[in-house]
Amino acid sequence: MNSRESPQPQSNEVLVETHADLSRRYQVHAVTIERTWRSFDEEQRIRAMVAGSNNAKVLKHRSDTSMGDICFIIPEWNLEDIAKSEPEFLLDLFKERATRSLIEQYHGGLNGRPGDYTVITSSMSTHGIKHANHFVNCFTLFHEGESYGSSYEIDADHVDEVVAGFRFAIEAGTCVPQGTGELILQRQIYLCQLLSSIVEDILEEASQGRKEVTHTDKGKKIVPNTRAGLSASSAKARLSFAYILKSAQDQRSAAQEYLELLSSESDILAHEVNIWFYTRSELLPDDRGRRLQAHTDKYISGAFCEAITASYKSSALWVYLNGLLDLLQDKHVTKIDRAQILQEVSNICHLQYNRAKNVFQRQIRVETGARWFKRVAGAYGSDGNARVTMKGQPESLTREDPQLHYILRLCQPQTTPVDAIGWIEKLHDLYERFPSERDRLEEREFESLSKLAVVVEFVNDLSITMRLPPMSNKKGQKFLTGARVLEDKLTEIKTKIDLRNFAAPIDSLLNPEMAAKALQALNQAVIAETGGKMEELYQNLIQECCAALQPSAKPVHPEESPAVDTTWPQEPSLQKSERIDVTPDEPKTKLKTRADSKSIRNEPSPIDLSASTALAPAQSAPAYPLPVSRSTLVVFTSLFWPTSPKSRGSITWASFEQAMVELKFSVLPKYGSVYKFEPTDHQIARKAVTVHRPHKSRIEGYQVPILARKLNGIFGWDQGTFVGKD
């Protein structure tokens, strides 16, 4: 037999991955799903089905032909059977599709129902449905194992020979023409995806406790819905102010934690500088294809400064936004006061959105979207970087490369937070149907996309709950004006400072001593230029702006502390440190991307960049070690025991989820790649924690200390918290 694998796209690969995801969700969430679904009334069930449907359309009943042949492929997915009948129908379907193997589902359903093979072949003979593509001499094999549903094209000269050899498989129905096989795979994929979608809606309802829910940008939906946007008229329900405040506090904590890690973990600092160095606008060609000689060491100092100042700006915006939300809680706030504060909130939200969008575009333009951006020769922005513009029309990619189309839409200057919701939603839909599309992105691209999704979702929630006014270029400009002045000074420092003695090549920063000296040199340059440290400058600006917005009060001096929480914890003083010489030195050797490194976890840095995260844990560590299973002990040992970047292990996301479930946490998707772990046993933990699911679902490298620091900061967990069960 001389056969070769079919050149057609292999639907079975998509199916195997989506089925594995559904099975994992059942293992982790089955109890919550059953409890919540049983609590739904008919209207809530209908909303849950519509939220994850194509263009808000769902079959009314099994014979509903208004959506074409879909009723012959997945007839059971209809409102009459799922939303208007007893809850057992969906729960049984969920259990069947999540717990039984694909080959078992192929041959037969639960309680004597027909299997997927019978459903499709019956529809083909009775209703005449067929696949849109015509497959010549192609067959699909269905058997247990990784090659389940694989298709093959047979050489024309050997068709009779191969068919004779597969006679028993053909008679048993496990070898079928590919047109039939694709329909069977399509049915199984659709049901897995639709069930995954409705599970997310149910989990979000369980997590949020909302009275009215039309779900939006939840990270991984199946098909587009019709959500309008960020306006108060959106179908999404208004959230409580307490929920918004908690979300803002979570974002502030996350930004501050990362600042601390930049000063305490040398490999994270080097990683961040590498990203900023290799995504500079100078690396792009201009409209004539000319490139600058931008891979020299002299650009490292600027990239170092940008990495640090960008993290400070993000943290400062979240600190200020939290301060504004605190002001809104003041009982003395008048209608006029509230209008002024809300205008400031609106402007800061848009500033934070534009910051996140610019970071995202910076990652995309040098990799996935490189052909769609150009450098404007001789033109520079206020940040001192070469100006970049987009070329071409993204809509031309709608069919050819939908992922790139949606990504470029997010990068366009005219894309507002309202517009961004729809494009992010489309990306999530695409990734649910074709998970391999997500893997085409670089890790840094996916991370910046996830962070942008978080900001967009927060702005959406805040806009709906607070009824924010539109952004204004005239009102609420005090912080924006002060921030621009400060950023201009920091840009001037970036163009002057020379850190090549410590940061060239970039992997020099993996040495804790070099990292500390580079940070101290930047700190001294900022003090010399502005008279204060970076965190002090932002702190003063935030306090001055909050003081000016105090209820029914005239602006006060910055030294008069406002009655809101805008503080950044004090950083350690620079003791026994000498001034660093930052004069230029001879150019260093060619840049490398990898090198051995040591952690600066336990070595005091001359400058504590966090200045905002030296916070005591939200709760003290358990008074006695917690006995856990061997697999869970391995997870937390990998997180808390590494003594250097080189000794860090790798943890799968599924392993971390299972470990948290063992500690009696429920796992609830929020938005983007963000998941919320909610404690159900307050003897172990009293607070929830939100965590980003990493690209390709592995926690490794610099992500390990980030997660460990978060768990320590919230729960007080460390090396001595967990022990193996006897």
Side-chain angles (χ1 to χ4, degrees):
M1 179 179 68
N2 181 21
S3 64
R4 58 187 177 85
E5 194 168 340
S6 170
Q8 295 296 329
Q10 295 295 292
S11 302
N12 64 313
E13 297 175 0
V14 177
L15 172 60
V16 169
E17 188 165 350
T18 54
H19 180 253
D21 285 344
L22 185 66
S23 298
R24 178 179 54 81
R25 292 178 185 185
Y26 182 86
Q27 293 173 3
V28 177
H29 305 300
V31 174
T32 303
I33 294 299
E34 180 174 359
R35 182 181 65 247
T36 308
W37 183 252
R38 289 186 183 280
S39 71
F40 279 8
D41 57 27
E42 181 179 311
E43 184 179 352
Q44 288 175 304
R45 292 176 189 169
I46 292 175
R47 280 204 301 267
M49 290 189 69
V50 171
S53 64
N54 188 13
N55 297 322
K57 293 182 179 180
V58 184
L59 295 175
K60 296 178 181 179
H61 46 77
R62 287 176 175 261
S63 303
D64 182 4
T65 59
S66 62
M67 297 175 62
D69 289 344
I70 195 69
C71 65
F72 305 128
I73 297 175
I74 49 172
E76 60 268 70
W77 197 263
N78 64 82
L79 294 175
E80 185 178 276
D81 285 336
I82 294 179
K84 299 182 179 181
S85 66
E86 295 301 314
E88 280 74 19
F89 187 91
L90 177 73
L91 297 176
D92 288 346
L93 183 61
F94 180 32
K95 182 177 181 180
E96 174 192 358
R97 293 289 161 177
T99 62
R100 301 179 74 224
S101 69
L102 292 171
I103 193 64
E104 288 176 324
Q105 297 176 41
Y106 179 87
H107 286 299
L110 288 179
N111 304 320
R113 295 173 185 165
D116 297 321
Y117 169 79
T118 302
V119 170
I120 293 301
T121 54
S122 296
S123 293
M124 293 178 71
S125 61
T126 304
H127 303 288
I129 68 169
K130 60 182 179 179
H131 197 274
N133 296 332
H134 182 58
F135 303 98
V136 179
N137 298 331
C138 294
F139 293 85
T140 304
L141 296 178
F142 290 93
H143 54 79
E144 194 72 61
E146 295 182 357
S147 58
Y148 173 88
S150 295
S151 295
Y152 301 88
E153 181 180 6
I154 304 172
D155 291 339
D157 296 337
H158 299 87
V159 172
D160 293 339
E161 177 186 349
V162 173
V163 169
F166 279 86
R167 180 170 59 86
F168 292 108
I170 293 173
E171 291 176 354
T174 57
C175 178
V176 299
Q178 188 175 352
T180 303
E182 289 295 323
L183 289 175
I184 294 171
L185 293 172
Q186 197 173 64
R187 168 178 164 79
Q188 292 185 320
I189 290 171
Y190 283 169
L191 287 174
C192 282
Q193 291 179 333
L194 289 166
L195 283 165
S196 293
S197 179
I198 201 168
V199 161
E200 290 194 0
D201 284 281
I202 295 170
L203 288 175
E204 185 164 342
E205 175 70 21
S207 172
Q208 315 266 345
R210 301 174 184 177
K211 294 182 179 179
E212 294 185 14
V213 180
T214 298
H215 294 293
T216 56
D217 179 28
K218 293 184 304 197
K220 289 187 178 181
K221 289 182 66 66
I222 304 305
V223 284
N225 64 22
T226 57
R227 189 177 66 177
L230 298 181
S231 66
S233 61
S234 170
K236 186 174 181 178
R238 294 180 64 184
L239 306 174
S240 68
F241 182 82
Y243 177 88
I244 294 296
L245 188 60
K246 179 61 170 60
S247 295
Q249 292 168 347
D250 288 344
Q251 297 308 317
R252 177 182 63 185
S253 296
Q256 293 172 337
E257 286 165 4
Y258 196 69
L259 270 175
E260 183 178 0
L261 286 168
L262 284 177
S263 68
S264 62
E265 300 288 344
S266 59
D267 63 323
I268 292 180
L269 178 62
H271 169 79
E272 189 72 12
V273 175
N274 248 315
I275 288 178
W276 284 86
F277 180 78
Y278 287 106
T279 57
R280 288 169 298 113
S281 54
E282 289 83 3
L283 297 174
L284 297 176
D286 62 15
D287 53 359
R288 297 174 61 184
R290 298 172 298 183
R291 297 178 184 270
L292 300 176
Q293 296 297 320
H295 273 296
T296 59
D297 287 354
K298 71 175 185 178
Y299 293 97
I300 294 177
S301 299
F304 185 96
C305 293
E306 285 187 301
I308 301 304
T309 55
S311 293
Y312 263 111
K313 181 177 181 179
S314 175
S315 184
L317 289 175
W318 286 118
V319 170
Y320 184 43
L321 191 53
N322 274 266
L324 293 174
L325 295 179
D326 285 342
L327 283 173
L328 288 173
Q329 297 183 89
D330 194 312
K331 62 182 180 180
H332 301 297
V333 168
T334 65
K335 187 175 182 179
I336 295 177
D337 296 330
R338 181 178 177 83
Q340 292 177 336
I341 296 171
L342 287 178
Q343 184 62 68
E344 192 81 4
V345 169
S346 177
N347 290 351
I348 297 303
C349 282
H350 281 78
L351 183 61
Q352 186 69 288
Y353 163 73
N354 286 326
R355 180 203 61 78
K357 185 172 75 170
N358 290 338
V359 171
F360 174 64
Q361 186 206 78
R362 184 176 178 123
Q363 314 307 314
I364 295 299
R365 70 192 186 193
V366 297
E367 194 69 43
T368 298
R371 294 189 300 108
W372 291 81
F373 292 90
K374 65 179 180 180
R375 176 176 49 83
V376 181
Y380 294 85
S382 59
D383 57 0
N385 296 327
R387 281 188 55 202
V388 174
T389 60
M390 187 181 295
K391 56 184 180 180
Q393 299 298 323
E395 54 266 29
S396 64
L397 293 166
T398 302
R399 293 184 179 275
E400 176 187 346
D401 191 342
Q403 175 179 240
L404 183 55
H405 172 213
Y406 305 150
I407 283 174
L408 293 177
R409 289 288 197 178
L410 286 171
C411 293
Q412 288 182 309
Q414 65 267 32
T415 300
T416 66
V418 175
D419 302 327
I421 297 171
W423 298 119
I424 290 175
E425 212 167 58
K426 288 178 182 294
L427 274 172
H428 294 155
D429 298 341
L430 179 68
Y431 295 154
E432 187 65 29
R433 296 194 204 96
F434 308 104
S436 60
E437 285 292 290
R438 180 173 53 238
D439 294 340
R440 289 171 52 200
L441 295 180
E442 294 292 325
E443 180 180 296
R444 55 182 169 76
E445 293 177 310
F446 181 76
E447 285 192 0
S448 61
L449 172 61
S450 298
K451 291 177 180 178
L452 176 61
V454 168
V455 173
V456 168
E457 179 72 11
F458 176 83
V459 175
N460 174 45
D461 288 344
L462 187 59
S463 299
I464 295 171
T465 302
M466 306 301 298
R467 301 186 184 278
L468 293 181
M471 183 190 67
S472 173
N473 291 320
K474 295 182 179 180
K475 301 177 182 179
Q477 296 295 301
K478 187 173 182 61
F479 181 89
L480 273 63
T481 301
R484 279 195 292 267
V485 172
L486 175 54
E487 288 166 13
D488 287 344
K489 293 180 180 179
L490 296 176
T491 297
E492 187 174 353
I493 294 171
K494 181 187 74 172
T495 60
K496 294 179 179 179
I497 195 170
D498 191 333
L499 301 174
R500 286 180 291 182
N501 284 344
F502 323 116
I506 293 176
D507 280 352
S508 300
L509 295 171
L510 293 168
N511 183 319
E513 183 179 354
M514 290 295 101
K517 287 182 178 180
L519 292 171
Q520 186 176 4
L522 176 59
N523 181 56
Q524 292 173 346
V526 173
I527 293 174
E529 181 71 27
T530 66
K533 301 173 185 177
M534 209 177 303
E535 64 274 5
E536 294 172 345
L537 299 173
Y538 275 114
Q539 174 74 14
N540 291 341
L541 175 61
I542 292 170
Q543 288 187 337
E544 182 178 352
C545 291
C546 284
L549 291 169
Q550 285 289 325
S552 302
K554 295 181 180 180
V556 296
H557 296 292
E559 58 268 19
E560 296 180 47
S561 178
V564 293
D565 179 15
T566 62
T567 58
W568 299 39
Q570 296 297 312
E571 69 167 5
S573 59
L574 301 176
Q575 298 178 353
K576 299 182 180 180
S577 62
E578 299 179 358
R579 187 170 185 82
I580 302 297
D581 181 9
V582 295
T583 56
D585 198 359
E586 291 297 319
K588 303 297 180 181
T589 58
K590 186 179 179 180
L591 281 175
K592 298 183 296 180
T593 57
R594 296 185 182 273
D596 292 339
S597 63
K598 298 178 181 179
S599 173
I600 54 178
R601 182 196 308 273
N602 298 318
E603 298 186 23
S605 171
I607 172 175
D608 178 4
L609 276 180
S610 69
S612 54
T613 49
L615 302 174
Q619 69 178 61
S620 59
Y624 50 87
L626 298 174
V628 295
S629 66
R630 178 179 177 82
S631 60
T632 295
L633 183 62
V634 169
V635 168
F636 289 112
T637 299
S638 299
L639 284 174
F640 293 115
W641 276 102
T643 57
S644 70
K646 193 174 181 180
S647 66
R648 289 177 189 148
S650 175
I651 308 166
T652 66
W653 177 258
S655 297
F656 177 68
E657 271 193 346
Q658 292 290 353
M660 295 296 282
V661 169
E662 181 178 328
L663 294 174
K664 299 183 179 180
F665 282 80
S666 58
V667 188
L668 306 166
K670 291 192 67 178
Y671 37 73
S673 61
V674 177
Y675 285 75
K676 180 180 181 181
F677 292 83
E678 185 82 46
T680 58
D681 184 347
H682 288 183
Q683 291 183 345
I684 295 178
R686 296 190 299 272
K687 293 188 65 177
V689 60
T690 56
V691 181
H692 278 272
R693 179 175 180 170
H695 191 37
K696 299 186 179 179
S697 299
R698 294 200 71 87
I699 303 167
E700 55 192 354
Y702 68 94
Q703 297 164 342
V704 173
I706 292 176
L707 180 55
R709 186 69 62 94
K710 181 184 287 286
L711 297 177
N712 176 262
I714 294 178
F715 305 127
W717 296 349
D718 56 23
Q719 296 96 326
T721 301
F722 305 97
V723 295
K725 292 180 179 178
D726 295 334

